[in-house]
Amino acid sequence: MSSYIDIQPANRALEIGTTYYRPEVRGTAVNPAAKRLMLGHAFACGANRVAFKVDDRNTRSQAAMTKLGATREGMLRHDMITWTGHVRSSVVFSILAGECPRCGISSTPG
């Protein structure tokens, strides 16, 4: 599962998040394929920017974002409290419409 969240039509921006995959498919081609499809659709619909927020403890997901072609923008310190009560910091990544070819997407903004 992965979702479009924090959709901001006026800014032509959104976030892809709320991602969860069963343990047996983590690290496989499933997540990058889903993210590329979602990115392509977002940019084809006119998005200028797609962001991702990753738990700062999750180095595996951070590496996946870099591999996808996203740029690390920085960290939001203590920006949320997880369902376990952990005070989480999030690393912010983004991909801009003009950077699509870098992430393996041929769509251009509409």
Side-chain angles (χ1 to χ4, degrees):
M1 175 183 82
S2 207
S3 305
Y4 294 124
I5 58 176
D6 192 20
I7 300 167
Q8 302 174 32
N11 294 319
R12 294 175 56 191
L14 60 110
E15 181 182 338
I16 294 176
T18 316
T19 298
Y20 178 82
Y21 291 105
R22 294 173 56 119
E24 62 268 20
V25 299
R26 292 178 191 159
T28 69
V30 171
N31 188 42
K35 293 292 193 287
R36 284 188 189 96
L37 286 169
M38 293 178 79
L39 285 162
H41 181 69
F43 292 129
C45 289
N48 282 328
R49 168 189 163 82
V50 177
F52 305 86
K53 292 179 188 167
V54 178
D55 190 316
D56 73 325
R57 300 169 297 167
N58 190 340
T59 56
R60 183 181 194 172
S61 288
Q62 290 178 51
M65 288 292 97
T66 301
K67 191 173 180 179
L68 188 62
T71 298
R72 180 186 169 125
E73 295 183 333
M75 186 179 311
L76 300 173
R77 300 180 309 149
H78 289 195
D79 67 315
M80 65 179 70
I81 299 174
T82 68
W83 65 273
T84 65
H86 172 75
V87 180
R88 170 185 149 163
S89 294
S90 298
V91 180
V92 179
F93 291 86
S94 72
I95 298 177
L96 306 180
E99 297 170 342
C100 270
R102 188 178 71 172
C103 62
I105 299 167
S106 59
S107 299
T108 56

